[in-house]
Amino acid sequence: MLALAEGGAVEGSYGRPERGSCTVELRGEAAGDRLLAGVERRFRAIQNHRDQITRLPPGSAHLARSEACPVQAFRVGECAWGVQFHPEAGADRLDGWDEAALAEKGLDLAALRAEARAAEPAATHTARRLVGNFAAVVRT
């Protein structure tokens, strides 16, 4: 929504979908970013999307990417961030996913759940760091 509101573009059902716990990689532009301070260069987060940002808003900072989705995080100005991944979601989020629908797309829900559970401790650490960083931005 932030990308669209600020003049970027989003395409529905674009590119390769991301499901489950996926690797996100910070870009060089993330150095010194207040939201991403102290976050590992590569981290895992829950993903569940088919849509992608295809054009960032003018003047925005492109902060993170993944193999399947070039825009995972960006910032507009000094205090507005958009993220494609779900730092708020834990591995238990996959418990409500439709196994048959995923199987039709060639995905194994049991394997996605196992991978998400294995990544959960580090993903939780990253999510807490992001929340703490965001709270610090709000306080200042």
Side-chain angles (χ1 to χ4, degrees):
M1 292 191 323
L2 178 62
L4 286 174
E6 292 295 319
V10 176
E11 296 291 329
S13 298
Y14 183 87
R16 193 172 79 213
E18 290 184 298
R19 304 279 189 255
S21 178
C22 302
T23 300
V24 175
E25 182 176 353
L26 298 182
R27 294 171 37 92
E29 293 89 331
D33 184 81
R34 295 184 296 165
L35 181 69
L36 298 169
V39 171
E40 296 290 327
R41 186 176 154 270
R42 291 173 55 90
F43 63 91
R44 301 203 46 105
I46 299 297
Q47 305 258 12
N48 187 21
H49 69 91
R50 295 178 308 211
D51 304 344
Q52 288 190 26
I53 297 169
T54 55
R55 187 180 72 246
L56 282 166
S60 62
H62 185 182
L63 304 173
R65 63 170 300 281
S66 71
E67 184 178 317
C69 184
V71 180
Q72 284 288 336
F74 68 101
R75 186 186 69 251
V76 176
E78 293 301 314
C79 297
W81 289 268
V83 296
Q84 179 72 56
F85 59 94
H86 290 276
E88 80 286 359
D92 61 341
R93 177 69 59 94
L94 281 69
D95 293 343
W97 289 8
D98 184 334
E99 186 170 8
L102 289 168
E104 287 176 9
K105 294 177 180 11
L107 298 170
D108 178 353
L109 182 54
L112 291 175
R113 284 178 178 152
E115 186 176 26
R117 283 187 197 106
E120 180 99 25
T124 298
H125 176 76
T126 299
R128 287 182 176 155
R129 170 68 72 170
L130 290 169
V131 168
N133 289 348
F134 185 73
V137 169
V138 171
R139 281 193 298 271
T140 60

